[in-house]
Amino acid sequence: MRTRTKAAIGIGAAVVVVGGVAVIFGPGWYADRAEDAAADEPSLSASAAPADTADSAGTWTVSDGSYAGYRLDEVLQGEDVTVTGRTEDVTGQVTIAGSEVTEASIEVKVATIATDSDNRDGYFRDNAVEAEKFPTATFELTEPAALAEGATEVELVGDLTVHGETKSVTVDAEVGGDGASALQVVGSVPVTFADFGIEAPNLGFVKVEDTGTVEFSLELTKS
């Protein structure tokens, strides 16, 4: 209860900061500004599936150009606002054997996740996710994931750990690339903040939705 209270206060304080601006200039202005700042959803840079899953066998390492973060919605006096936070501080490895992803371990440094607002980021880092105490978010694959020949879609079942809380999730992902020297994996998974000990605030004029999305784009190179 104490952790959830701290998280609520932290996120709430950030909302008060941006909310004050919105009251002065109007909710429509704030909504337009936030929507403009929100990043596009992750997508494959090349939509083609790997030419041959057999060529993809081996261990792949997360490389430059990768990112991970979150997407959430706020409602400000009836105006819907989408907020995205991103970081390129992502590491990990993925192993493919035959036509399956057999192992995957991804780590994200949450203190480096950033939005368009320094104030929001500070409260997210220090209060909501308590980055000093819980510096990383991780995903560990717990079940083999089949890679269908000629298809980009894949379901990744594993354990997502955020704010010291671990939950089993199913990630809707896509895989693209030549399959021999380069792969890209993009995906997202819906989350409920309370499941990870974070309570979304409701301050009346601003309400943060109880759910959001963890999303990522991984550029993989063969080890």
Side-chain angles (χ1 to χ4, degrees), residues 140-218:
E140 298 281 345
L141 190 73
T142 56
E143 298 180 12
L147 295 172
E149 197 74 43
T152 59
E153 295 84 4
V154 61
E155 283 192 347
L156 305 175
V157 178
D159 288 337
L160 176 66
T161 301
V162 178
H163 193 228
E165 300 284 346
T166 301
K167 301 295 177 184
S168 179
V169 298
T170 299
V171 182
D172 291 325
E174 292 184 279
V175 180
D178 63 22
S181 61
L183 285 175
Q184 182 189 13
V185 182
V186 303
S188 63
V189 57
V191 295
T192 300
F193 300 130
D195 289 344
F196 297 94
I198 300 172
E199 184 176 343
N202 183 351
L203 303 182
F205 64 92
V206 176
K207 180 182 185 300
V208 177
E209 298 293 352
D210 297 329
T211 60
T213 303
V214 172
E215 54 189 23
F216 61 88
S217 175
L218 305 178

Side-chain angles (χ1 to χ4, degrees), residues 10 24 31 33 48-49 55-56 59 66 70 88 93-94 117 122 127 136-137 175 177 203 221:
I24 295 172
R33 180 178 181 278
D55 291 339
S56 302
T59 299
S66 301
Y70 66 84
E88 295 184 358
Q93 289 189 325
V94 175
S117 167
N127 299 88
T136 62
V175 180
L203 303 182
T221 55

Side-chain angles (χ1 to χ4, degrees), residues 118-141:
D118 290 340
N119 288 317
R120 181 192 291 118
D121 296 342
Y123 286 110
F124 168 81
R125 177 180 62 247
D126 298 334
N127 299 88
V129 296
E130 297 181 288
E132 187 172 342
K133 185 177 180 181
F134 306 106
T136 62
T138 62
F139 175 80
E140 298 281 345
L141 190 73

Side-chain angles (χ1 to χ4, degrees), residues 31-112:
D32 290 343
R33 180 178 181 278
E35 290 289 351
D36 288 342
D40 292 336
E41 295 182 0
S43 61
L44 293 176
S45 55
S47 59
D52 187 345
T53 55
D55 291 339
S56 302
T59 299
W60 297 78
T61 299
V62 176
S63 60
D64 292 344
S66 301
Y67 65 82
Y70 66 84
R71 181 179 301 269
L72 59 81
D73 292 325
E74 299 172 352
V75 179
L76 173 65
Q77 296 181 2
E79 296 282 349
D80 294 328
V81 178
T82 298
V83 175
T84 55
R86 295 279 174 82
T87 179
E88 295 184 358
D89 205 339
V90 185
T91 56
Q93 289 189 325
V94 175
T95 300
I96 298 175
S99 59
E100 290 184 330
V101 180
T102 57
E103 296 180 61
S105 179
I106 308 299
E107 181 175 286
V108 179
K109 289 190 177 179
V110 296
T112 60

